[in-house]
Amino acid sequence: MINLRQLQCLRAIIMCGNMTQAAEMLGIAQPSASSLIANLEHVIGFKLFERTKGRLVPTPEAMFLMPDVNRTIESVELTEQRAAQIRDNRRGELTIVSYPDIAIDFLPETLSTFLQDKPAVRVHLYARRSEMMSGLIQTHDFDLAISTRSAEAWQLDVKEISIPCLVAFPRGKGPIGKPVLDPADIQDEPLVLVSSGHPTVIQLRERFEQRGIPYPVATVETQTFESACGLVRRGFGASIVDAITARRYQSELDVLPFAPVIWQTIYVLQPLGRPASRIADAFATHLLNALQALSRPP
């Protein structure tokens, strides 16, 4: 059977014209190069070289074979390069499904830093509302899913990160002289909140109850923190938003801590039913580190 080293030796001799230089090019002894060619000739059944005036001259049959030899060697070299890229997390594919708020800015920012030295990595990013993810999550047709709703842990690796929420006011409208707000500071504000069943809104209601303050009905309910910030940026009301969204608008809004802290829980999910790619594991670690940096109360 023909092996790669024999083909490399054949190419080196044709390039150099003699066995000694070809052996040096390959980093082997001259007898080893001679043996490789002799074995190759035995396998294929015809001569590859004639000796003429001290040089090895390839036969017409050898030259006819060379296009295939070059393609084979180049194919193996390309495979080696790609394997090295995969090993070093510089090549691969990554399918990510995420809830919309984080997919708008934070996730692209996190991806861009991760991909800076990985030009051959291809990413598919899909935004889905957390309550619409359940069917997709069951198929495991993703490398990483990011949701605000807990999923059934069957065949899923689930990592949980809690992100603090803050109070967002129109620019210049936030209370002056209070570094941390409480329910009393927002009870008279028109509130722009995500839906009443959202965990952060349930916590907000509990904070009002704990203080014995009547809970104000939201003037506007939205599906995302992004929409809530859109209204507040335009001068309407105040909102409770997660630190990820607040960070995006910190130059356009007055954003202040709230106590007792309200937490937005984020779940990072990876399928366990199939091996994770190296690139998926590497990005999961990168993402979790970025989320952990925002998980401390301000």
Side-chain angles (χ1 to χ4, degrees):
M1 182 180 293
I2 297 172
N3 65 53
L4 179 64
R5 202 59 168 161
Q6 291 169 339
L7 300 182
Q8 290 172 328
C9 188
L10 171 60
R11 184 174 69 171
I13 295 170
I14 290 176
M15 291 172 61
C16 297
N18 68 71
M19 192 73 71
T20 302
Q21 290 182 8
E24 289 176 358
M25 179 185 290
L26 295 173
I28 60 176
Q30 189 270 335
S32 297
S34 298
S35 177
L36 285 169
I37 293 303
N39 289 336
L40 179 56
E41 289 177 332
H42 176 73
V43 169
I44 62 179
F46 55 84
K47 291 189 70 172
L48 294 168
F49 295 96
E50 297 285 352
R51 186 170 291 278
T52 303
K53 296 180 181 180
R55 290 183 62 82
L56 290 175
V57 178
T59 63
E61 291 78 13
M63 295 306 297
F64 188 74
L65 199 59
M66 280 311 296
D68 291 323
V69 170
N70 287 326
R71 277 194 296 271
T72 299
I73 294 173
E74 289 166 3
S75 177
V76 172
E77 289 173 347
L78 179 61
T79 301
E80 289 174 341
Q81 291 172 10
R82 286 181 174 169
Q85 289 174 335
I86 293 169
R87 180 195 63 217
D88 299 335
N89 294 327
R90 291 182 289 115
R91 177 176 287 273
E93 289 204 358
L94 191 57
T95 299
I96 303 168
V97 185
S98 173
Y99 70 96
D101 279 321
I102 204 173
I104 290 171
D105 187 70
F106 179 80
L107 198 49
E109 178 187 356
T110 307
L111 268 169
S112 65
T113 58
F114 178 73
L115 295 172
Q116 278 182 350
D117 59 347
K118 303 173 181 65
V121 173
R122 189 175 177 202
V123 177
H124 306 272
L125 175 58
Y126 302 98
R128 299 283 189 277
R129 286 170 51 196
S130 292
E131 57 267 33
M132 304 297 290
M133 279 192 199
S134 57
L136 179 62
I137 285 174
Q138 290 174 10
T139 70
H140 288 191
D141 193 20
F142 61 92
D143 295 303
L144 208 68
I146 308 159
S147 176
T148 57
R149 295 195 174 206
S150 180
E152 297 243 349
W154 184 78
Q155 291 295 297
L156 285 172
D157 176 60
V158 181
K159 292 184 173 63
E160 182 178 321
I161 306 287
S162 293
I163 304 294
C165 291
L166 301 100
V167 186
F169 291 91
R171 193 70 170 163
K173 299 288 184 67
I176 298 172
K178 285 205 72 173
V180 180
L181 305 184
D182 63 27
D185 296 307
I186 60 173
Q187 63 177 328
D188 296 325
E189 296 287 340
L191 293 181
V192 181
L193 301 175
V194 288
S195 61
S196 59
H198 194 279
T200 59
V201 176
I202 293 171
Q203 292 176 67
L204 179 63
R205 188 181 299 114
E206 291 171 351
R207 302 297 184 266
F208 273 85
E209 291 172 356
Q210 290 163 2
R211 288 291 305 273
I213 299 173
Y215 178 69
V217 177
T219 305
V220 179
E221 281 193 8
T222 77
Q223 290 186 336
T224 67
F225 290 132
E226 282 283 339
S227 297
C229 282
L231 281 160
V232 177
R233 282 169 57 216
R234 289 163 176 81
F236 185 81
S239 185
I240 301 290
V241 299
D242 70 323
I244 295 172
T245 310
R247 174 174 168 265
R248 171 170 159 78
Y249 294 107
Q250 60 187 353
S251 64
E252 301 175 63
L253 300 170
D254 287 350
V255 179
L256 295 165
F258 185 84
V261 177
I262 292 171
W263 298 98
Q264 160 83 316
T265 302
I266 296 173
Y267 301 91
V268 179
L269 315 171
Q270 285 184 274
L272 290 176
R274 55 181 170 82
S277 68
R278 293 171 60 89
I279 202 74
D281 281 341
F283 180 68
T285 299
H286 183 78
L287 173 65
L288 288 166
N289 288 338
L291 290 171
Q292 287 285 5
L294 293 172
S295 64
R296 294 178 290 276

Short mmCIF file of all heavy atoms in Angstrom, two decimals, residues 7 32 79 82 84 91 106 109 116-117 120 130 150 155-156 165 171 182 184 190 194 207-208 218 233 245 291:
data_model
loop_
_atom_site.label_atom_id
_atom_site.label_comp_id
_atom_site.label_asym_id
_atom_site.label_seq_id
_atom_site.Cartn_x
_atom_site.Cartn_y
_atom_site.Cartn_z
N LEU A 7 5.21 9.23 -1.08
CA LEU A 7 4.84 10.27 -2.05
C LEU A 7 5.62 11.56 -1.79
O LEU A 7 6.03 12.24 -2.74
CB LEU A 7 3.34 10.54 -1.98
CG LEU A 7 2.42 9.34 -2.29
CD1 LEU A 7 0.96 9.77 -2.22
CD2 LEU A 7 2.74 8.73 -3.65
N SER A 32 17.35 5.88 3.93
CA SER A 32 15.90 5.80 4.19
C SER A 32 15.11 6.31 2.98
O SER A 32 14.08 5.72 2.61
CB SER A 32 15.53 6.63 5.42
OG SER A 32 16.16 6.11 6.58
N THR A 79 -5.70 18.99 5.56
CA THR A 79 -6.36 18.31 6.69
C THR A 79 -5.61 18.57 7.98
O THR A 79 -6.21 18.81 9.03
CB THR A 79 -6.46 16.80 6.41
OG1 THR A 79 -7.20 16.58 5.21
CG2 THR A 79 -7.14 16.08 7.56
N ARG A 82 -6.32 22.13 9.09
CA ARG A 82 -7.67 22.28 9.65
C ARG A 82 -7.76 21.62 11.03
O ARG A 82 -8.42 22.14 11.93
CB ARG A 82 -8.71 21.69 8.70
CG ARG A 82 -8.93 22.56 7.48
CD ARG A 82 -9.97 22.01 6.55
NE ARG A 82 -10.26 22.94 5.46
CZ ARG A 82 -10.97 22.64 4.39
NH1 ARG A 82 -11.49 21.42 4.27
NH2 ARG A 82 -11.17 23.54 3.45
N ALA A 84 -5.36 21.34 13.14
CA ALA A 84 -4.68 22.25 14.07
C ALA A 84 -5.57 23.43 14.42
O ALA A 84 -5.62 23.87 15.58
CB ALA A 84 -3.36 22.74 13.47
N ARG A 91 -11.21 27.08 14.12
CA ARG A 91 -12.10 26.66 13.04
C ARG A 91 -13.24 25.83 13.65
O ARG A 91 -13.04 25.07 14.58
CB ARG A 91 -11.34 25.82 12.00
CG ARG A 91 -12.25 25.29 10.88
CD ARG A 91 -11.45 24.56 9.82
NE ARG A 91 -10.67 25.46 9.00
CZ ARG A 91 -11.14 26.06 7.90
NH1 ARG A 91 -12.38 25.86 7.51
NH2 ARG A 91 -10.37 26.86 7.20
N PHE A 106 -25.29 42.64 23.83
CA PHE A 106 -24.33 41.97 24.70
C PHE A 106 -23.72 40.74 24.04
O PHE A 106 -22.50 40.54 24.07
CB PHE A 106 -25.00 41.58 26.02
CG PHE A 106 -24.10 40.87 26.98
CD1 PHE A 106 -23.20 41.57 27.77
CD2 PHE A 106 -24.13 39.48 27.09
CE1 PHE A 106 -22.36 40.91 28.64
CE2 PHE A 106 -23.30 38.82 27.97
CZ PHE A 106 -22.41 39.53 28.75
N GLU A 109 -21.35 41.61 21.22
CA GLU A 109 -20.09 42.11 21.78
C GLU A 109 -19.23 40.96 22.29
O GLU A 109 -18.01 40.89 22.04
CB GLU A 109 -20.38 43.09 22.92
CG GLU A 109 -19.13 43.62 23.60
CD GLU A 109 -19.43 44.46 24.83
OE1 GLU A 109 -20.62 44.69 25.12
OE2 GLU A 109 -18.47 44.88 25.50
N GLN A 116 -12.20 37.27 17.49
CA GLN A 116 -11.16 38.13 16.93
C GLN A 116 -10.02 37.35 16.29
O GLN A 116 -9.50 37.74 15.24
CB GLN A 116 -10.61 39.06 18.01
CG GLN A 116 -11.48 40.29 18.23
CD GLN A 116 -10.89 41.23 19.27
OE1 GLN A 116 -9.94 40.88 19.95
NE2 GLN A 116 -11.47 42.41 19.39
N ASP A 117 -9.60 36.26 16.91
CA ASP A 117 -8.48 35.48 16.37
C ASP A 117 -8.96 34.15 15.79
O ASP A 117 -8.20 33.19 15.69
CB ASP A 117 -7.43 35.22 17.45
CG ASP A 117 -7.99 34.46 18.65
OD1 ASP A 117 -9.25 34.36 18.76
OD2 ASP A 117 -7.20 33.98 19.48
N ALA A 120 -11.95 31.59 10.90
CA ALA A 120 -12.54 30.44 10.21
C ALA A 120 -13.70 29.82 10.98
O ALA A 120 -14.23 28.79 10.58
CB ALA A 120 -11.47 29.38 9.93
N SER A 130 -37.87 33.49 25.20
CA SER A 130 -37.60 32.33 26.06
C SER A 130 -38.76 31.35 26.09
O SER A 130 -38.57 30.13 26.06
CB SER A 130 -37.27 32.80 27.49
OG SER A 130 -36.05 33.48 27.52
N SER A 150 -36.16 28.42 33.05
CA SER A 150 -35.53 27.14 33.32
C SER A 150 -36.09 26.09 32.37
O SER A 150 -37.30 26.07 32.08
CB SER A 150 -35.77 26.73 34.77
OG SER A 150 -35.17 25.50 35.04
N GLN A 155 -30.91 15.54 29.76
CA GLN A 155 -29.92 15.62 28.68
C GLN A 155 -29.47 17.05 28.38
O GLN A 155 -29.13 17.37 27.24
CB GLN A 155 -30.45 14.95 27.41
CG GLN A 155 -30.59 13.43 27.52
CD GLN A 155 -29.24 12.75 27.69
OE1 GLN A 155 -28.37 12.81 26.83
NE2 GLN A 155 -29.04 12.09 28.83
N LEU A 156 -29.49 17.90 29.40
CA LEU A 156 -29.00 19.27 29.23
C LEU A 156 -28.05 19.61 30.36
O LEU A 156 -28.30 19.27 31.53
CB LEU A 156 -30.15 20.28 29.25
CG LEU A 156 -31.04 20.39 28.02
CD1 LEU A 156 -32.22 21.30 28.32
CD2 LEU A 156 -30.27 20.92 26.81
N CYS A 165 -30.96 43.70 38.72
CA CYS A 165 -31.72 44.69 37.95
C CYS A 165 -31.55 46.07 38.57
O CYS A 165 -31.26 46.22 39.77
CB CYS A 165 -33.20 44.31 37.93
SG CYS A 165 -33.54 42.82 36.96
N ARG A 171 -32.99 60.52 31.07
CA ARG A 171 -31.77 61.24 31.41
C ARG A 171 -32.09 62.54 32.15
O ARG A 171 -32.92 63.33 31.71
CB ARG A 171 -30.99 61.57 30.13
CG ARG A 171 -29.56 62.03 30.40
CD ARG A 171 -28.74 60.89 30.90
NE ARG A 171 -27.31 61.21 30.95
CZ ARG A 171 -26.43 60.51 31.63
NH1 ARG A 171 -26.81 59.45 32.32
NH2 ARG A 171 -25.16 60.84 31.62
N ASP A 182 -35.32 52.49 46.66
CA ASP A 182 -36.20 51.45 47.19
C ASP A 182 -37.60 51.68 46.65
O ASP A 182 -37.84 52.64 45.91
CB ASP A 182 -36.14 51.41 48.72
CG ASP A 182 -36.66 52.70 49.36
OD1 ASP A 182 -37.50 53.41 48.74
OD2 ASP A 182 -36.21 53.02 50.47
N ALA A 184 -40.25 53.00 47.70
CA ALA A 184 -40.86 54.31 47.93
C ALA A 184 -40.43 55.33 46.88
O ALA A 184 -41.17 56.29 46.59
CB ALA A 184 -40.50 54.81 49.33
N PRO A 190 -44.81 56.67 36.67
CA PRO A 190 -45.43 55.77 35.70
C PRO A 190 -44.42 54.68 35.36
O PRO A 190 -43.29 54.98 34.96
CB PRO A 190 -45.69 56.66 34.48
CG PRO A 190 -45.24 58.03 34.83
CD PRO A 190 -44.54 58.01 36.13
N VAL A 194 -41.81 44.82 32.04
CA VAL A 194 -42.09 43.63 31.23
C VAL A 194 -43.33 42.96 31.81
O VAL A 194 -43.86 43.39 32.84
CB VAL A 194 -40.87 42.67 31.22
CG1 VAL A 194 -39.75 43.25 30.38
CG2 VAL A 194 -40.36 42.38 32.63
N ARG A 207 -41.27 43.15 46.72
CA ARG A 207 -40.52 44.20 47.42
C ARG A 207 -41.48 45.29 47.94
O ARG A 207 -41.30 45.82 49.04
CB ARG A 207 -39.49 44.84 46.49
CG ARG A 207 -38.47 43.88 45.90
CD ARG A 207 -37.58 43.22 46.95
NE ARG A 207 -36.57 42.39 46.30
CZ ARG A 207 -36.68 41.09 46.08
NH1 ARG A 207 -37.79 40.45 46.46
NH2 ARG A 207 -35.69 40.42 45.50
N PHE A 208 -42.48 45.63 47.14
CA PHE A 208 -43.48 46.59 47.60
C PHE A 208 -44.27 46.04 48.78
O PHE A 208 -44.52 46.75 49.77
CB PHE A 208 -44.43 46.95 46.45
CG PHE A 208 -43.95 48.09 45.59
CD1 PHE A 208 -43.08 47.86 44.54
CD2 PHE A 208 -44.35 49.39 45.85
CE1 PHE A 208 -42.62 48.91 43.74
CE2 PHE A 208 -43.91 50.45 45.06
CZ PHE A 208 -43.03 50.21 44.01
N ALA A 218 -48.50 48.83 36.35
CA ALA A 218 -47.66 49.33 35.26
C ALA A 218 -48.50 50.12 34.26
O ALA A 218 -49.58 49.69 33.87
CB ALA A 218 -46.96 48.17 34.56
N ARG A 233 -36.15 56.12 27.42
CA ARG A 233 -35.21 57.01 26.71
C ARG A 233 -35.95 58.20 26.10
O ARG A 233 -35.38 59.28 25.93
CB ARG A 233 -34.50 56.25 25.58
CG ARG A 233 -33.38 55.36 26.04
CD ARG A 233 -32.93 54.45 24.91
NE ARG A 233 -32.53 55.21 23.74
CZ ARG A 233 -32.74 54.81 22.48
NH1 ARG A 233 -33.37 53.68 22.24
NH2 ARG A 233 -32.31 55.55 21.48
N THR A 245 -29.00 45.11 29.94
CA THR A 245 -29.66 46.13 29.13
C THR A 245 -29.32 47.53 29.64
O THR A 245 -29.07 48.45 28.85
CB THR A 245 -31.19 45.92 29.15
OG1 THR A 245 -31.48 44.55 28.83
CG2 THR A 245 -31.87 46.82 28.14
N LEU A 291 -20.81 37.01 31.74
CA LEU A 291 -22.01 37.15 32.56
C LEU A 291 -21.66 37.28 34.04
O LEU A 291 -22.27 38.07 34.76
CB LEU A 291 -22.94 35.96 32.33
CG LEU A 291 -23.64 35.88 30.97
CD1 LEU A 291 -24.35 34.55 30.80
CD2 LEU A 291 -24.63 37.04 30.80
#
